[in-house]
Amino acid sequence: APRRRPPPQPLLPELPEGGGGAGDGIPRESSPFISNSGLERGNFYEGKNMALFEEEMDSNPMVSSLLNKLANYTNVTQGVVEHEEDEDSKRKEIKAPCMGTFIGVYLPCLQNILGVILFLRLTWIVGTAGVLESFIIVFVCCAGTMLTAISMSAIATNGVVPAGGSYYMISRSLGPEFGGAVGLCFYLGTTFAGAMYILGTIEILLKYISPNAAIFKAEEKTEAEEAMLNNMRVYGTCTVALMAVVVFVGVKYVNKLALVFLACVVLSIMAIYAGVIKTAFDPPDFPVCLLGNRTLSRQKDFPCAKYTVKGNTTAVTELWNLFCDGASLNATCNEYFNQNNITQIQGIPGVASRVLIDNLWSVYGDKGSVVEKQNHPSVPVPDEAKDRDLPYVFSDIMTYFTMLVGIYFPSVTGIMAGSNRSGDLRDAQKSIPTGTILAISTTSFIYLSCIILFGACIEGVVLRDKFGEGVNGNLVIGTLAWPSPWVIVIGSFFSTCGAGLQSLTGAPRLLQAIARDGIIPFLQVFGHGKANGEPTWALLLTAFICEIGILIASLDSVAPILSMFFLMCYLFVNLACAVQTLLRTPNWRPRFKYYHWTLSFLGMTLCLALMFICSWYYALIAMLIAGCIYKYIEYRGAEKEWGDGIRGLSLNAARYALLRVEQGPPHTKNWRPQVLVLLNLDSEQLVKHPRLLSFTSQLKAGKGLTIVGSVLPGVYLDKYTDAQKAEENIRSLMGVERTKGFCQIVVSSSIRDGISHLIQSAGLGGMKHNTVLMAWPQSWKQADHPFSWKNFIDTVRETTAAQQALLVAKNIDLFPANQERFSEGNIDVWWIVHDGGMLMLLPFLLRHHKVWRKCKMRIFTVAQMDDNSIQMKKDLQMFLYHLRLNAEVEVVEMFENDISAFTYEKTLVMEQRSQMLKQMQLSKNEREREAQLIHDRNTASHSTGVVKSLTAVAMPEKVQMTWTKEKLISEKHKNKETCMTGYKDLFSMKPEWGNLNQSNVRRMHTAVKLNGVVLNKSQHAQLVLLNMPGPPKNRQGDENYMEFLEVLTEGLNRVLLVRGGGREVITIYS
């Protein structure tokens, strides 16, 4: 094979310093090494071939080097991340992963699936539920795992699965939130499985191998159960401690023993099948003693009779002594004992007998009920209290179908064993599907065949006898085995022991993988381990959780708990596959082709159904735990972008919703302010007025669209780093102020154009802003900000043109922060012109927020000379009643009076300033041109000037303050008459007043008067909302417009100037 070499240094070590010699096989013309020394030549060669792409070389690797890296990719075993870190520094020869399908996937799955339930509980499940219902239980559980395996195969073959198995697959498919929740569920499941295996080991030890080893002995039969549980707790705790030490000392020993444990399982199963075949022609001799139809417990081998006759003497048996109060034949005996005969039947009649017919149907019973043989003659005794001290075989728990599903399900788990070893497989993408599906098929066949064979070979009362009390305390499944019951007893003991060890080995690594992903902050500590990567802390936690399972002490109680966690995990594997398939993500290209979203969906439904079938309250608790973990990861903000399916789902849903939201404006009932907030940034790209964002979140209360925009002057190529910095700053401030929304930074040649672009293009489809919120330019009067007022007025004009509402917050830095609370005060609305109801809606929305909740709303409107104030007030109250708004109403009367000297003086100062502002903007030659124009204008006749000013007044504006068209006309005539006479005395005081633009004087008059009225009523209000007058159509008066607004709001603390978007936003209809 050709040598691979990294492209940046293409030096062939074989070549001598002088370049390619005659005998080195490289023709001199084509040899790259002709004259220069090594490195330069290499680069020169590379440069000559790839000169066109040399700019890209820094950021994008050459294809050859990329392929070289991929070829040397090594996949280390789970949890040993340190190897990857040392890889580049050591560059040792790493042994390639070499496990095939059979050793790497099939056998581990087989070993994990077949286990404790098969040996200890399957016969009892068959006896209790009957062959048919047991078949259904096993079939449903196996179908669930098979469907899950198909989904898992699709995920596992969609790209390289590093070590980490199921957790890795789910988290990378469904995102960190689901990944964390499922990973922890799987971890808890594996840990509780360890507890279950240990309990199984102890049960085999104390019941079948060495009953004398029990520490707690029961004096009476009623105490036997409690004593047994305590024995389990003591021995279980010791075993957990011992196993934890073994795992801590060396995992390699566990892995070496795995083959031994597997051999035990295989031998045990072969012994069962051999035993079944043998029963056909030579059934083993395991007699069962019945009194009537009740099974008798025979812990020791005593005669199955009431008395024995030897010669002429009749001697009572041990049974007589247990049921009667004396050894004589005329002693008082138990009524049932007197009425019924004792019979002996074969415990294992064999395949040839017709026992299968009797075992087809279920026999469920309550706790403490006697195990009885169906259809066997017996004489019932009325009102008999079944005495627990009598030597019957009692059922130790209440049985019903759903409970048995919960106990059985753990015996089909373990399908992830292969995918968890994905790091050690030669070709994981081929081995995982093949091995897992084959293993599930094999185990399903074993389970289903065992159910039928147990039902066909073993007597029902023996099957229902959980601990084999009726067959001299033998393991029930052991009685069937050939050549000896001890094959199964010893085999099952080692296999459960091994499974427990493997759970304690696997679970800490899983926890370590989750901890190292850093998605659950409080688990970080469990990511650390020994120098070789062994997870020490995780092992301690695992042993502790395992101990909780041990303290429950009953195998039948622990099994449903781990069923929940495994089912939850499998449910999410199916969900992951279904979501990826339905979304048709471009990256979803599994090599395993035999999957379909319907299968995944069916598997998901089956898992969910099984959860609730097993135990609805455990299911709810498991879901609650998973939900809490999900929410916690979401809340802590695991900023992991794994290209997961849920993110893709969100994108699809967003696209669908955006297409559904029609382009046109929404109905009035649905109208809410979708705000574009225009922020100013300082030279450090920090926000100048953070209170603007506080006010936004108070206004929005988390609803609707918020776009926070800002403009940076300059060229994007030069400023993109500044733009990124500005975006980060704004986002962090949005986080602090809890403003939910989007951030948009525009770099534009001028701020004026940038704002225009934002107003035009922010938003997407139906999700566009309809309201612009900005701060009042405080510095508009300063000489160094000549353009801020121009930008402001142009923004006002553009929002009007775009039919968007405009909110201008004056004294924004005095507005309250989100943490402040107003305990009293008013929000005053000055409703001067109707702008679609925006003024009414804003206080209503603000009062939803805690800051403004205790403020009262007051509405003021202005009445003029010919208005009926009382009627106006009544109408307004009625209007508010229909709008369902609670507010005080007040009508303020404004009478016509003469324009004061103060107004004239204000107007004069204003015009002088505007003249000065104009001067500043003119360059030198423009200034000369302007001087000439002014000279020409002064020499022209004064009359034309008067006419001009009057026509300027005669053009009414779209939104005037309190002026109506009729008023303007009457005002105009009045002007004509009184212009020269009425004000002569005033002008004599200050002759310049005579030259003032009368339109400006009247506007100033309105502003001053209105300001006085507002100050009188609302000086101490927490917030004043005012109609914002529109800018003049004639751009000559722009700077005066700023002065009018300044005068209008003078002396008020917090002012929100509101300009409607030209459409109704509030309605009286439902």
Side-chain angles (χ1 to χ4, degrees):
R3 274 182 66 106
R4 280 202 176 82
R5 48 188 175 76
Q9 308 121 329
L11 298 173
L12 292 172
E14 295 84 20
L15 284 169
E17 187 59 38
D24 60 11
I26 302 175
R28 201 163 269 281
E29 301 83 50
S30 66
S31 169
F33 308 99
I34 300 240
S35 56
N36 316 32
S37 67
L39 191 61
E40 290 161 3
R41 281 180 312 217
N43 283 344
F44 165 72
Y45 177 55
E46 197 174 76
K48 232 164 73 173
N49 275 332
M50 289 295 167
L52 185 59
F53 292 96
E54 59 195 11
E55 295 288 326
E56 329 277 279
M57 294 285 189
D58 306 334
S59 53
N60 303 339
M62 289 287 293
V63 173
S64 51
S65 69
L66 176 75
L67 293 174
N68 185 30
K69 275 184 193 153
L70 285 175
N72 291 338
Y73 175 78
T74 57
N75 215 328
V76 293
T77 47
Q78 181 173 354
V80 193
V81 181
E82 284 77 6
H83 285 309
E84 294 179 70
E85 290 161 5
D86 299 343
E87 198 177 21
D88 296 328
S89 56
K90 290 181 184 167
R91 213 63 197 151
K92 282 182 184 168
E93 194 59 43
I94 296 170
K95 194 175 71 178
C98 58
M99 284 192 183
T101 307
F102 187 72
I103 298 285
V105 182
Y106 181 73
L107 291 181
C109 282
L110 208 64
Q111 183 188 349
N112 272 298
I113 296 172
L114 298 169
V116 62
I117 301 288
L118 170 66
F119 300 124
L120 294 183
R121 293 288 181 271
L122 194 59
T123 50
W124 172 72
I125 290 172
V126 173
T128 312
V131 171
L132 293 179
E133 287 184 26
S134 304
F135 198 86
I136 291 168
I137 291 175
V138 174
F139 182 78
V140 168
C141 293
C142 290
T145 51
M146 181 59 92
L147 291 169
T148 306
I150 291 171
S151 301
M152 188 190 74
S153 301
I155 297 173
T157 57
N158 186 47
V160 179
V161 178
S166 53
Y167 160 68
Y168 185 91
M169 291 190 307
I170 296 164
S171 61
R172 297 317 188 264
S173 302
L174 286 179
E177 293 92 349
F178 275 115
V182 178
L184 278 183
C185 278
F186 193 56
Y187 165 71
L188 288 171
T190 312
T191 309
F192 272 109
M196 184 186 76
Y197 290 132
I198 291 167
L199 287 173
T201 309
I202 307 303
E203 188 177 302
I204 294 167
L205 177 73
L206 293 181
K207 285 276 188 191
Y208 310 114
I209 296 177
S210 174
N212 299 327
I215 297 168
F216 299 90
K217 300 274 199 297
E219 296 300 320
E220 293 181 23
K221 197 164 182 184
T222 45
E223 296 166 10
E225 192 179 341
E226 193 56 41
M228 183 65 191
L229 292 180
N230 287 332
N231 284 323
M232 299 279 256
R233 289 182 183 116
V234 173
Y235 274 97
T237 307
C238 297
T239 313
V240 168
L242 187 69
M243 285 187 173
V245 170
V246 170
V247 171
F248 179 75
V249 169
V251 182
K252 55 176 184 280
Y253 301 120
V254 179
N255 290 337
K256 280 176 183 168
L257 287 171
L259 209 58
V260 178
F261 298 138
L262 180 62
C264 293
V265 177
V266 175
L267 280 173
S268 304
I269 288 167
M270 287 167 72
I272 294 168
Y273 282 116
V276 169
I277 295 164
K278 184 172 174 288
T279 61
F281 50 84
D282 180 18
D285 182 33
F286 279 102
V288 178
C289 213
L290 300 178
L291 172 62
N293 63 355
R294 299 179 184 177
T295 317
L296 293 174
S297 169
R298 298 172 74 191
Q299 296 290 9
K300 297 189 289 293
D301 199 10
F302 52 77
C304 185
K306 292 186 181 180
Y307 41 80
T308 54
V309 180
K310 284 185 183 175
N312 295 330
T313 57
T314 306
V316 293
T317 59
E318 281 184 51
L319 278 177
W320 184 280
N321 294 332
L322 289 168
F323 280 96
C324 303
D325 60 1
S328 61
L329 285 171
N330 55 2
T332 315
C333 290
N334 177 285
E335 184 64 26
Y336 191 83
F337 185 73
N338 284 335
Q339 297 285 341
N340 288 281
N341 294 324
I342 288 184
T343 50
Q344 184 166 310
I345 58 168
Q346 269 303 327
I348 300 180
V351 179
S353 68
R354 296 173 56 81
V355 74
L356 180 63
I357 309 298
D358 301 336
N359 289 336
L360 278 180
W361 311 110
S362 58
V363 186
Y364 298 119
D366 291 332
K367 182 176 180 176
S369 60
V370 177
V371 175
E372 297 176 342
K373 178 168 168 55
Q374 304 296 305
N375 310 322
H376 196 74
S378 74
V379 180
V381 176
D383 307 328
E384 181 211 11
K386 288 171 186 166
D387 194 345
R388 287 303 301 255
D389 288 332
L390 294 175
Y392 294 129
V393 177
F394 295 101
S395 62
D396 62 337
I397 51 173
M398 182 181 171
T399 51
Y400 42 93
F401 179 79
T402 56
M403 187 207 84
L404 294 179
V405 177
I407 291 176
Y408 173 73
F409 188 80
S411 66
V412 292
T413 59
I415 60 169
M416 300 283 189
S419 62
N420 287 349
R421 294 174 168 229
S422 49
D424 301 330
L425 299 171
R426 195 180 306 122
D427 182 0
Q429 299 200 0
K430 191 172 145 211
S431 298
I432 290 176
T434 319
T436 309
I437 290 170
L438 272 177
I440 292 175
S441 309
T442 311
T443 50
S444 301
F445 171 75
I446 291 172
Y447 282 131
L448 292 169
S449 62
C450 277
I451 282 173
I452 294 164
L453 295 175
F454 291 164
C457 293
I458 306 174
E459 182 58 61
V461 286
V462 180
L463 285 173
R464 284 190 290 285
D465 179 1
K466 192 190 277 186
F467 301 115
E469 293 169 36
V471 284
N472 305 351
N474 272 306
L475 178 59
V476 175
I477 198 170
T479 58
L480 185 61
W482 178 87
S484 156
W486 285 102
V487 175
I488 295 258
V489 172
I490 302 298
S492 59
F493 178 77
F494 279 120
S495 79
T496 48
C497 200
L501 266 175
Q502 289 207 316
S503 295
L504 282 183
T505 313
R509 278 176 172 57
L510 185 60
L511 185 63
Q512 189 183 37
I514 298 168
R516 285 191 169 165
D517 261 343
I519 52 174
I520 304 174
F522 68 82
L523 288 183
Q524 296 282 8
V525 64
F526 298 111
H528 310 307
K530 290 197 290 189
N532 62 351
E534 286 300 316
T536 318
W537 289 104
L539 179 64
L540 282 174
L541 181 70
T542 306
F544 175 73
I545 297 173
C546 205
E547 179 59 24
I548 295 172
I550 298 291
L551 293 177
I552 295 172
S554 164
L555 189 75
D556 304 318
S557 306
V558 174
I561 297 175
L562 69 109
S563 294
M564 282 311 124
F565 290 124
F566 277 121
L567 278 166
M568 180 79 83
C569 177
Y570 296 167
L571 183 142
F572 282 119
V573 170
N574 285 306
L575 175 69
C577 182
V579 164
Q580 298 272 40
T581 312
L582 286 173
L583 284 180
R584 297 197 181 90
T585 321
N587 191 45
W588 179 246
R589 306 186 292 275
R591 285 189 182 281
F592 179 77
K593 296 296 178 203
Y594 307 102
Y595 69 94
H596 194 264
W597 68 268
T598 47
L599 292 177
S600 303
F601 199 75
L602 183 64
M604 191 174 87
T605 318
L606 205 54
C607 289
L608 191 64
L610 280 170
M611 281 176 76
F612 282 95
I613 286 170
C614 292
S615 162
W616 61 268
Y617 45 91
Y618 275 161
L620 292 176
I621 292 168
M623 285 177 159
L624 189 68
I625 291 172
C628 288
I629 299 165
Y630 180 95
K631 276 315 215 187
Y632 175 76
I633 296 171
E634 193 178 55
Y635 169 71
R636 290 295 306 216
E639 293 300 327
K640 302 277 182 191
E641 177 52 73
W642 286 331
D644 50 87
I646 293 295
R647 186 72 181 266
L649 195 61
S650 307
L651 286 169
N652 257 22
R655 175 183 151 276
Y656 177 74
L658 276 172
L659 291 173
R660 285 290 304 275
V661 176
E662 67 275 13
Q663 286 281 0
H667 190 274
T668 307
K669 283 186 262 185
N670 290 335
W671 195 95
R672 65 167 77 239
Q674 317 277 26
V675 184
L676 168 64
V677 187
L678 296 176
L679 292 180
N680 288 338
L681 303 174
D682 59 17
S683 55
E684 295 292 306
Q685 314 308 338
L686 295 168
V687 178
K688 276 188 189 169
H689 304 297
R691 285 283 190 278
L692 208 53
L693 283 179
S694 313
F695 184 67
T696 309
S697 54
Q698 290 160 25
L699 182 65
K700 304 294 292 176
K703 303 284 190 299
L705 174 76
T706 306
I707 302 172
V708 180
S710 190
V711 179
L712 296 180
V715 181
Y716 182 63
L717 285 177
D718 306 335
K719 286 289 182 98
Y720 69 89
T721 49
D722 286 358
Q724 283 174 332
K725 186 181 170 190
E727 188 165 350
E728 280 170 26
N729 292 342
I730 291 176
R731 278 191 196 286
S732 64
L733 184 64
M734 285 169 76
V736 171
E737 297 293 348
R738 294 191 178 166
T739 308
K740 288 190 168 65
F742 308 99
C743 178
Q744 198 163 346
I745 304 288
V746 172
V747 180
S748 176
S749 53
S750 72
I751 290 186
R752 157 92 196 70
D753 288 347
I755 292 176
S756 174
H757 297 156
L758 269 175
I759 289 172
Q760 290 174 60
S761 62
L764 180 65
M767 287 295 276
K768 283 185 79 69
H769 60 279
N770 53 28
T771 306
V772 177
L773 171 62
M774 59 194 295
W776 172 261
Q778 302 283 11
S779 54
W780 73 272
K781 291 183 183 177
Q782 291 171 14
D784 59 338
H785 278 76
F787 283 102
S788 73
W789 57 271
K790 279 211 152 183
N791 290 341
F792 176 77
I793 294 172
D794 282 336
T795 306
V796 176
R797 286 201 171 101
E798 277 176 355
T799 51
T800 309
Q803 291 189 318
Q804 291 169 6
L806 176 67
L807 310 177
V808 179
K810 194 157 184 264
N811 304 331
I812 184 65
D813 297 326
L814 300 177
F815 275 61
N818 285 334
Q819 292 74 34
E820 293 177 43
R821 302 283 181 271
F822 289 135
S823 54
E824 55 181 5
N826 299 311
I827 300 177
D828 286 359
V829 176
W830 284 83
W831 192 27
I832 294 153
V833 293
H834 180 56
D835 57 354
M838 190 77 173
L839 278 168
M840 314 286 176
L841 195 59
L842 292 174
F844 170 74
L845 294 173
L846 277 175
R847 286 179 61 215
H848 281 312
H849 197 275
K850 291 172 185 171
V851 175
W852 305 93
R853 192 162 286 162
K854 293 191 176 162
C855 293
K856 290 196 176 74
M857 180 172 160
R858 296 193 301 181
I859 295 189
F860 297 91
T861 189
V862 176
Q864 290 169 323
M865 283 290 287
D866 43 3
D867 290 330
N868 179 345
S869 315
I870 299 162
Q871 189 57 41
M872 261 179 92
K873 184 168 182 175
K874 277 185 186 168
D875 292 347
L876 187 52
Q877 281 170 334
M878 198 59 184
F879 181 56
L880 287 177
Y881 175 76
H882 284 311
L883 285 178
R884 310 169 300 285
L885 294 174
N886 297 324
E888 289 178 32
V889 173
E890 202 167 323
V891 177
V892 180
E893 298 184 343
M894 264 177 80
F895 297 117
E896 291 290 328
N897 56 4
D898 288 345
I899 297 172
S900 63
F902 171 74
T903 306
Y904 276 106
E905 189 53 45
K906 274 257 185 206
T907 315
L908 182 65
V909 171
M910 172 184 82
E911 292 205 349
Q912 283 170 345
R913 182 188 289 115
S914 62
Q915 202 65 27
M916 194 174 73
L917 283 169
K918 272 186 190 150
Q919 291 292 330
M920 279 168 49
Q921 286 164 38
L922 301 173
S923 62
K924 191 180 175 189
N925 49 4
E926 278 179 327
R927 238 179 247 168
E928 288 163 8
R929 208 178 310 133
E930 185 72 8
Q932 185 61 42
L933 278 170
I934 290 170
H935 176 72
D936 294 348
R937 211 176 284 146
N938 288 351
T939 51
S941 68
H942 182 68
S943 60
T944 52
V946 171
V947 172
K948 260 187 188 166
S949 72
L950 289 177
T951 48
V953 175
M955 285 174 67
E957 288 183 26
K958 217 183 219 169
V959 182
Q960 269 288 355
M961 294 296 284
T962 52
W963 300 96
T964 59
K965 206 166 191 175
E966 294 76 20
K967 271 219 164 60
L968 273 172
I969 293 164
S970 63
E971 195 71 39
K972 187 168 69 177
H973 289 309
K974 196 157 55 174
N975 267 0
K976 275 185 187 165
E977 295 156 14
T978 57
C979 201
M980 295 295 122
T981 56
Y983 296 146
K984 265 184 182 163
D985 46 346
L986 267 173
F987 296 157
S988 61
M989 288 163 63
K990 229 178 183 186
E992 308 94 288
W993 289 355
N995 301 331
L996 291 176
N997 182 333
Q998 288 304 306
S999 161
N1000 285 347
V1001 172
R1002 274 200 322 282
R1003 286 166 181 235
M1004 183 62 82
H1005 176 60
T1006 307
V1008 169
K1009 276 191 71 180
L1010 198 52
N1011 176 253
V1013 174
V1014 173
L1015 268 180
N1016 180 28
K1017 296 283 184 186
S1018 302
Q1019 190 162 15
H1020 301 297
Q1022 303 291 12
L1023 180 64
V1024 177
L1025 285 90
L1026 260 171
N1027 277 116
M1028 181 176 178
K1033 284 191 175 168
N1034 181 0
R1035 286 173 179 269
Q1036 299 297 321
D1038 279 2
E1039 55 275 22
N1040 301 341
Y1041 173 69
M1042 299 296 286
E1043 190 71 57
F1044 293 140
L1045 292 182
E1046 196 71 73
V1047 169
L1048 181 63
T1049 55
E1050 211 165 4
L1052 294 169
N1053 278 341
R1054 302 183 194 92
V1055 184
L1056 190 65
L1057 293 168
V1058 181
R1059 187 160 167 67
R1063 55 161 301 163
E1064 292 293 333
V1065 300
I1066 195 165
T1067 175
I1068 62 173
Y1069 299 106
S1070 65

